[in-house]
Amino acid sequence: MGGSEAASGPNTACVASSGSLRAASRGEGDDGAEEDEEGEEPRRRPISPSAAAGFEAGFGNEREVSLREWLDQPGRAVDLLQCLHIFRQIADAVSAAHAQGVVVGNVRPSCFVMSSLDRVSFIESASCSSSSDSSEDGAGSPDGFGEPGATGTPESASEMPAVSACLEETKERGEGDVGAGDRTAFPLKKILLMESIWYTSPEEATGRSGTFASDIYRLGVLLFELFCTFDSLEEKLITMSNLRHRVLPPQLLLKWPKEASFCLWLLHPQPDTRPKMSEVLHSEFLNQPRDSLEERDAAIKLKEEIEDQELLLDFLLHLQQRKKEIADRLHDTVCFLSADIEEVLHQQSILKKKSYQELDNDEHSAVGTLDKASLHPVMDEHSYSSGSRKRLRPELQNFVPEENVAEGARSETDQQIQENALSKSTRLMKNFKKLEAAYFSARCRQMKPSGKSVTKFFQVTSSGRGSMIRTEGSSVDDKVYRRGNTGETKSEWINPFLDGLRKYLAFSKLKVRADLKHGDLLNSMNLVCSMGFDRDKEFFATAGVNKKIKVFECDTILNGDRDIHYPVTEMTNTSKISCICWNNYIKSHIASSDFEGVVQVWDATRSQVFAEMREHERRVWSVDFSLADPTKLASGSDDGAVKIWNINQAGSVCTVKTKANVCSVHFQPDSAYSLAIGSADHKIYCYDLRNLRIPSCTLADHMKTVSYVKYLDSSTIVSASTDSSLKLWDLSTSISRMIETPLQTFTGHINIKNFVGLSISDGYIATGSETNEVFVYSKAFPMPVLSYKFSIIDPISGKEVDDTSQFISSVCWRGQTSMLLAASSSGNIKFLEMV
C-alpha cells in the first residue's frame, strides 16, 4: 500500500491533496466515501473540477487566523461544539482526499486558517512547505505536500533532541515559567519547528511512507490539541512529546473522557488497528452531538446572513451618502446656474432697452428731417402752378425705390448675421464639454474666499511711471456691469467669461494674407529661429541658422504681388542666431543672441553692430528689451546665467545664477525690475532684480523644459514647454513663493523637442506645433480657437506632400492686431489673419 502511494510522486500528491481539501472544506466532499479495504492500494482518481476550484474563493470578506495561532492563543476556552465543528470540517476534507486516493500528509494546524465564523480552510502556506522541506521534520516531499516519512528520521534521533533543545532555550529565556495571570502567545517559530514532529506518525518516523492510516494518526493529534490547553510552552512541549507514547494529561482524562478515549483510538501505534476514515465519520463520537452541531451550523448560517445583510446595508448607506453629496453639489450647481441665467437675462434686457431707445431716437430724428424737407415742396405747391406739382411727383416717387434698396441691403445683413450666429452656435456645441469645464472652473475660482476683490478684471491699475493700464474689456461690459444708481456690482465673473467667449467665437479661421518669397526654401539653412516687429509695426525682422538678420517692410509684403521679396536691410553675424528683439523705444535697435554665447545690439539703419556683450560661456537662447527702460536688456544662456545689460555701459549690470539651462527671459511690461525666467528644470522663476538672492516667485507645474515665458500683463504669465502645453499663471494668487496650480492649461498642439514660438496679443496666444501647424488660443479657454497647417509643395511635381520633420519654428503677432506672422522650419514665412 505504501509503495504504490510513494510511486505517484510528490507533485501528484500536492495537487490532489490541495484540491481535495479545498473541495471538502467547502462541503463538496463525500462524507460517506468508503476507504479501500485494508491491504489494497489506494485508488488514484483524478480530482473533480468543482473540487479543485471550489476552495479558491476563500473567505475574502471574513477575518481569518491560522488554526495554529488560534490553538495556542493564551487563555483559550475549550468549547465542545466548536472543537467538534472544526474537527468535523477537517475530517470531511481528509475523507474527500482519501476518496480520490490521495494521502494528505499536511494535516497540521499551520496548514489551515479559520474564519471568524469557524469556517476552516486549507492553505498552502510557507510554514507548511518550509517545515515539511526540512529533513529533521521528517517530511518526504520536497514541496511539503506529499506523503511524509519518505526521508524521515527515527523518533529517538529527531524528536527528543529537538524537544530538549527547545526546552533548554525556553528555560534560558525564561519563557517556560509563565503564570496564569501573565499568559502570552507561544513563540510561533518554535511551535512550527516542533509541529511536523508531533504530526509525524510512528510508521513515518521509522522511515516508511505515509498511508491513509498516517492521516488518521494526524487527526488524533489535532483532536488532542483542540481539547487540551496549556499554560506554558514547557508544559506543551513535554505533553506533546508524551502524546507519542499515548500518555494523556490527567486533566484531559477527567474533563473530557470520551474525547480522550477517541484520541487514543486514533493514535494507536499500529496503523492496522487505527480506524478507517469512514469509521471516524460514522462514529458515535462525532454523530451523537450531531443535532447540536446542526443547530450550531444553523446559528452560524443565520449569523452569516445577518453579517451579509449588514454589509449590504453599509454599502447602501455609503452609496446613499455619496449620491446625496452629488445631489447637493448638483443642487448648488443648478442654483448658481439659475442665478447666472437671471443675471444674463437682466443684462440682456438692459441692452435691448438701450437698443430700442437708440432706434426710437433715430426714427424721431429721421421723421424730423423728413418733415423739414417736405415743408418747402408744400409751400411751393401753393406758389407754383399745377405743372410745377407734376414735376415734384417723380422725386417723391423716386424715394420709394431707395427704401427698397435699403431694405434689400438690410435683409442681406440680417442673413449674414444669422449665418454668423449659426456658425458660432455650431462651434460652441462642438466644444461644449470644454466650455462647460471652463465655465465651472471660472465660477469656482470666484466662489473661493479671498481677501482680494474679485473684480480684478475691471480694476484700473497705475504703474510706477504714472501711466494708466486698463485690462481688456468693452465699454458695453462696463455699462451693464453695475446695476441701479447705487453702483452695486453683480456677478463679477460673468463679464470676463462673456468677454472670453466673445473672443473665442469672434473669428472662424486663419486666412493667408501674404507669403514671404525669399531665396531657396529647400536650403536647410533657412530655418527661422526668431521674428519681431519694430516699434511702429512698419517693419519686421527675421533671423535664424543662416546667421543673418533680414528686415522687411510690412506693406510691401502685404500689398505687393512680387516673385521675390528683398529685405530692406540685411545684417550678417558670425554664428547662428537664436533670438532677436526690437527695442520698443529706439526704433532702429535690434538685440540678438547667438549659438556662441554673444549678445549684440544692432543699428538697423546703419546695418552694423551698436554694442557687443561677451560674458556668457555657452549658447544664449533668449534676449529681451525692457519696455519700461529701453536701455536695459536681459539675456539667458545654457550656462545657467541670466545677465542684465545696459546698452550704454560696458559689461553686465548684474547676473542671476540658476541651476539649469535658461531657455527664455522676459521683462514685466510696466517694470524694469521684474523678470521671468523659463528654465530647463521645468520651472519658471520670477525675480525682482533689486533682490537677486532668491526668486520672488516660482511657478511649477510643467513636466518638461520651459521653452518660452511671456508676461500677458503685470500679474499674468504665459509659459510654453516641450510637454506640449501652454500654461497661464496668475501671480496675484501667490500666498507663498511657490505656485503649483496654473490658472489655465492650454493643450492641442504638439511640442516635444523643438522651439516652436510663442506670442501674445489682446488675450490671444499663438504658438507653433511640430505638426507644422499654427495654433491660436484664447486666454479664457483651454482648447485652440483657430489653427492653420502649412502645406508642403514638392518643387518637382508641384503636389502637396506630407513631411513629418517640418514644424513651426516661430510666431509673432503684429502688435495688438489680428494679424500674425508665422515661419516654418523650411523657411516658409506667412502673414496670417484671423477672420
Side-chain angles (χ1 to χ4, degrees), residues 694-825:
I694 56 174
S696 58
C697 188
T698 301
L699 315 177
D701 191 54
H702 280 294
M703 305 303 294
K704 296 178 70 177
T705 297
V706 177
S707 50
Y708 296 95
V709 59
K710 300 280 186 184
Y711 273 96
L712 191 64
D713 54 46
S714 60
S715 63
T716 312
I717 285 178
V718 178
S719 60
S721 169
T722 51
D723 61 8
S724 295
S725 74
L726 309 180
K727 293 185 184 291
L728 183 69
W729 307 86
D730 185 0
L731 301 182
S732 64
T733 62
S734 175
I735 300 175
S736 61
R737 292 182 179 271
M738 176 73 73
I739 299 178
E740 296 180 324
T741 305
L743 198 63
Q744 194 77 264
T745 297
F746 308 94
T747 57
H749 64 288
I750 302 297
N751 181 203
I752 299 173
K753 60 181 180 179
N754 296 300
F755 287 84
V756 295
L758 178 70
S759 185
I760 55 177
S761 171
D762 193 32
Y764 290 105
I765 305 165
T767 189
S769 174
E770 289 168 9
T771 56
N772 214 24
E773 292 175 277
V774 177
F775 283 84
V776 177
Y777 296 91
S778 169
K779 68 177 183 180
F781 303 123
M783 59 285 189
V785 177
L786 304 169
S787 66
Y788 176 84
K789 185 175 180 64
F790 275 48
S791 58
I792 304 170
I793 306 298
D794 186 280
I796 299 175
S797 64
K799 296 181 179 179
E800 185 174 336
V801 295
D802 186 18
D803 186 353
T804 57
S805 65
Q806 297 290 316
F807 60 94
I808 301 300
S809 57
S810 183
V811 292
C812 185
W813 289 103
R814 188 183 183 186
Q816 301 298 307
T817 68
S818 60
M819 195 168 294
L820 176 68
L821 191 63
S824 71
S825 55

Side-chain angles (χ1 to χ4, degrees), residues 1-35:
M1 181 170 68
S4 176
E5 293 165 3
S8 64
N11 293 335
T12 306
C14 171
V15 174
S17 63
S18 302
S20 302
L21 285 176
R22 287 175 182 146
S25 60
R26 293 180 63 87
E28 296 176 359
D30 183 7
D31 290 350
E34 290 293 336
E35 191 178 337

Side-chain angles (χ1 to χ4, degrees), residues 448-496:
K448 290 179 181 178
S450 174
K452 301 176 183 178
S453 172
V454 293
T455 61
K456 61 183 180 182
F457 294 93
F458 297 92
Q459 291 176 352
V460 179
T461 59
S462 175
S463 69
R465 295 177 287 117
S467 63
M468 303 298 287
I469 299 176
R470 186 172 183 80
T471 54
E472 300 164 8
S474 67
S475 58
V476 175
D477 289 342
D478 293 338
K479 290 177 182 178
V480 300
Y481 185 72
R482 298 180 178 275
R483 283 193 192 177
N485 299 323
T486 61
E488 179 188 3
T489 57
K490 298 289 184 180
S491 298
E492 294 87 349
W493 77 274
I494 288 182
N495 287 322

Side-chain angles (χ1 to χ4, degrees), residues 42-79:
R43 293 166 298 193
R44 300 288 186 178
R45 291 192 293 269
I47 193 167
S48 67
S50 60
F55 193 75
E56 296 294 340
F59 297 92
N61 293 330
E62 298 180 9
R63 296 183 299 276
E64 293 182 340
V65 65
S66 167
L67 183 58
R68 164 55 60 200
E69 294 180 79
W70 181 83
L71 286 172
D72 293 334
Q73 61 182 324
R76 177 176 68 89
V78 177
D79 183 303

Side-chain angles (χ1 to χ4, degrees), residues 151-453:
T151 59
T153 57
E155 178 183 347
S156 58
S158 61
E159 179 180 7
M160 295 310 296
V163 172
S164 300
C166 281
L167 285 174
E168 189 66 28
E169 185 179 354
T170 300
K171 289 178 180 178
E172 288 177 0
R173 297 190 180 184
E175 295 173 355
D177 302 325
V178 181
D182 188 28
R183 291 175 178 172
T184 57
F186 298 148
L188 185 60
K189 186 178 292 186
K190 296 178 183 178
I191 296 296
L192 292 177
L193 178 65
M194 300 301 301
E195 184 187 63
S196 61
I197 298 176
W198 298 335
Y199 282 78
T200 300
S201 65
E203 63 271 17
E204 291 173 314
T206 60
R208 295 166 57 187
S209 300
T211 63
F212 291 158
S214 302
D215 286 342
I216 301 297
Y217 180 88
R218 282 183 272 274
L219 286 174
V221 180
L222 176 63
L223 183 63
F224 173 79
E225 282 205 82
L226 284 169
F227 282 92
C228 190
T229 59
F230 306 95
D231 293 333
S232 67
L233 178 60
E234 181 180 3
E235 180 188 359
K236 183 177 182 73
L237 293 174
I238 295 173
T239 304
M240 294 302 294
S241 179
N242 292 335
L243 185 65
R244 178 60 58 89
H245 306 288
R246 302 178 74 206
V247 177
L248 303 182
Q251 65 269 24
L252 181 70
L253 294 171
L254 291 174
K255 190 173 183 178
W256 307 105
K258 290 184 179 180
E259 289 72 15
S261 176
F262 198 76
C263 278
L264 292 175
W265 189 30
L266 300 179
L267 294 172
H268 200 281
Q270 296 299 324
D272 297 344
T273 310
R274 296 175 203 149
K276 304 293 187 293
M277 200 65 233
S278 58
E279 294 175 339
V280 172
L281 293 175
H282 293 97
S283 64
E284 183 181 354
F285 171 74
L286 282 183
N287 290 282
Q288 185 176 7
R290 188 76 178 184
D291 295 339
S292 299
L293 286 174
E294 290 177 355
E295 291 177 3
R296 182 182 179 84
D297 286 342
I300 289 175
K301 289 181 180 179
L302 184 61
K303 185 178 178 182
E304 287 179 344
E305 291 181 3
I306 293 173
E307 288 191 354
D308 289 342
Q309 291 287 343
E310 289 179 353
L311 284 174
L312 178 59
L313 182 61
D314 288 343
F315 167 74
L316 294 175
L317 289 173
H318 182 68
L319 182 62
Q320 183 189 46
Q321 180 64 27
R322 292 184 62 181
K323 295 303 180 183
K324 279 185 177 180
E325 292 174 359
I326 294 172
D328 291 341
R329 289 197 296 269
L330 186 60
H331 178 265
D332 294 340
T333 301
V334 172
C335 286
F336 68 66
L337 275 170
S338 300
D340 292 344
I341 291 171
E342 182 183 354
E343 180 65 22
V344 172
L345 289 174
H346 175 77
Q347 293 187 6
Q348 193 179 57
S349 65
I350 293 175
L351 288 175
K352 286 181 178 180
K353 186 181 295 183
K354 290 184 178 181
S355 175
Y356 294 152
Q357 289 176 354
E358 290 177 3
L359 288 174
D360 290 341
N361 292 336
D362 291 342
E363 289 177 1
H364 289 309
S365 175
V367 170
T369 304
L370 183 61
D371 289 343
K372 290 179 182 178
S374 61
L375 179 61
H376 296 287
V378 172
M379 292 174 62
D380 290 343
E381 283 180 355
H382 290 288
S383 2
Y384 293 96
S385 62
S386 61
S388 63
R389 286 199 299 270
K390 291 179 182 178
R391 285 194 296 271
L392 289 172
R393 284 172 189 165
E395 296 177 5
L396 295 174
Q397 292 173 357
N398 290 336
F399 184 75
V400 176
E402 290 176 0
E403 288 183 352
N404 291 336
V405 171
E407 288 178 359
R410 189 181 300 114
S411 64
E412 291 179 2
T413 303
D414 291 343
Q415 184 179 357
Q416 185 177 0
I417 291 174
Q418 290 178 358
E419 290 177 356
N420 289 338
L422 181 61
S423 174
K424 290 180 179 181
S425 177
T426 302
R427 291 179 62 202
L428 188 145
M429 297 308 296
K430 182 180 179 181
N431 294 282
F432 187 84
K433 287 291 183 183
K434 293 181 178 179
L435 288 171
E436 178 187 3
Y439 164 79
F440 286 118
S441 176
R443 196 63 161 80
C444 290
R445 282 198 300 270
Q446 294 299 329
M447 291 172 66
K448 290 179 181 178
S450 174
K452 301 176 183 178
S453 172

